[in-house]
């Protein structure tokens, strides 16, 4: 199985800060990577697919990058509404695997 | 409006069975692969199962943790997805989400972009 190691597991940043979350795959997954945002008590929401394609309606302060085994979700200028847990998902091979999640809070 | 609505969750004893349903509307259900994803209380997301579309022979995939106990199926005439869960264990306790997945037309553009609100399964004596 492909392991997805997500870091950090939690972080606190100020409004307006740039936030970077990393997912590292245990083997190459090409561009089969998705980022989700899950707010407390809510359903996961897709933010980014195919590493860097922004989901329609998602603010442009969110962006994704990376290749091979290392991938990054960046939030430019953190806003209070971005408080959530963020997950990466590899769908390169079965079983699909999620990262452990990154909890983002406002400092 | 594209919508997925899960049902069938509840409290079941260890070793018991439960059948989850997911009713789809607002899109061409039969064209899409469909997935189940679960989330144990206070934990992260876990992919559970996939069923492909008719054009891909309705083939299925499972996580190792449920293989042999869970069966995914679909009825395209009813726009419905199912998950038959047998030999349930305490560790199967979770919110179960269905999600729209791959299609030949849209490939990854509509991949896991729509999720239901989930149905809660509790396995306990």
């Amino acid at each position: 199985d492909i392991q997805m190691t997500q870091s950090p597991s939690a972080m606190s940043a100020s409004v307006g800060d740039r936030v970077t979350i990393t997912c590292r795959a245990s083997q190459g997954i090409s561009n089969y990577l998705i980022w989700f945002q899950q707010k407390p008590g809510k359903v996961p929401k897709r933010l980014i697919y195919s590493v860097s394609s922004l989901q329609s309606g998602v603010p442009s302060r969110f962006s994704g990058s990376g290749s091979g085994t290392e991938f990054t979700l960046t939030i430019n200028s953190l806003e209070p509404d971005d408080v959530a847990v963020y997950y990466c998902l590899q769908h390169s091979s079965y079983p699909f695997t999620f990262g452990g999640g990154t909890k983002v809070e406002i400092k | 409006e594209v919508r997925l609505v899960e049902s069938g969750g509840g409290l079941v004893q260890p070793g018991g069975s439960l059948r989850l349903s997911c009713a789809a509307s607002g899109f061409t259900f039969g064209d899409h692969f469909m997935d189940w994803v679960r989330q144990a209380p206070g934990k992260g997301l876990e992919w559970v199962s996939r069923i492909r579309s008719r054009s891909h022979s309705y083939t299925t995939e499972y996580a190792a943790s449920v293989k042999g106990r869970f069966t995914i199926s679909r009825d395209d005439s009813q726009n419905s997805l199912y998950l038959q869960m047998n030999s349930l264990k305490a560790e199967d306790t979770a919110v179960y989400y269905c999600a729209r997945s791959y299609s030949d037309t849209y490939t990854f553009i509509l991949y896991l972009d729509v999720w239901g609100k989930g149905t809660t399964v509790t396995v306990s004596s």
Side-chain angles (χ1 to χ4, degrees):
Chain A
D1 297 4
I2 297 177
Q3 308 303 317
M4 299 300 291
T5 303
Q6 194 171 334
S7 61
S9 57
M11 65 180 301
S12 182
S14 300
V15 172
D17 281 355
R18 185 178 188 180
V19 168
T20 299
I21 298 168
T22 297
C23 255
R24 185 171 288 110
S26 59
Q27 63 190 73
I29 59 171
S30 186
N31 68 334
Y32 298 112
L33 185 103
I34 299 174
W35 289 99
F36 294 93
Q37 175 194 63
Q38 187 176 32
K39 294 183 178 180
K42 299 296 186 182
V43 177
K45 172 186 174 182
R46 191 180 76 164
L47 296 177
I48 304 277
Y49 64 96
S50 299
V51 176
S52 59
S53 295
L54 191 67
Q55 168 72 24
S56 175
V58 172
S60 59
R61 64 180 180 274
F62 290 92
S63 64
S65 63
S67 64
T69 61
E70 190 141 338
F71 303 89
T72 299
L73 174 70
T74 300
I75 310 173
N76 279 307
S77 192
L78 186 70
E79 295 193 5
D81 188 52
D82 300 335
V83 168
V85 179
Y86 294 84
Y87 296 95
C88 62
L89 167 72
Q90 72 79 18
H91 58 100
S92 171
S93 65
Y94 298 101
F96 297 161
T97 43
F98 288 88
T102 296
K103 187 174 185 178
V104 175
E105 297 179 323
I106 300 292
K107 196 180 292 183
Chain B
E1 180 195 3
V2 176
R3 202 168 175 224
L4 295 170
V5 179
E6 302 93 340
S7 60
L11 174 63
V12 60
Q13 292 189 338
S17 298
L18 215 51
R19 189 193 196 207
L20 306 185
S21 300
C22 171
S25 59
F27 67 101
T28 308
F29 177 77
D31 287 353
H32 287 264
F33 298 10
M34 294 294 295
D35 289 4
W36 287 98
V37 176
R38 69 183 180 183
Q39 186 168 35
K43 302 298 185 183
L45 299 168
E46 180 187 14
W47 176 82
V48 173
S49 184
R50 158 168 290 183
I51 187 165
R52 297 180 179 86
S53 58
R54 179 188 175 196
S55 62
H56 292 262
S57 304
Y58 297 128
T59 51
T60 59
E61 306 285 347
Y62 296 93
S65 57
V66 307
K67 196 168 187 177
R69 300 187 299 122
F70 290 12
T71 302
I72 190 171
S73 62
R74 63 192 295 164
D75 183 342
D76 291 349
S77 69
Q78 297 291 318
N79 289 342
S80 293
L81 173 72
Y82 305 100
L83 187 67
Q84 176 67 43
M85 305 186 296
N86 298 331
S87 303
L88 282 161
K89 306 174 182 180
E91 51 264 40
D92 296 318
T93 295
V95 175
Y96 285 73
Y97 299 101
C98 64
R100 177 171 75 172
S101 192
Y102 178 88
S103 75
D104 291 331
T105 302
Y106 294 102
T107 63
F108 300 109
I109 297 173
L110 303 181
Y111 194 99
L112 296 178
D113 68 325
V114 176
W115 295 49
K117 293 188 186 303
T119 187
T120 300
V121 172
T122 303
V123 184
S124 174
S125 55

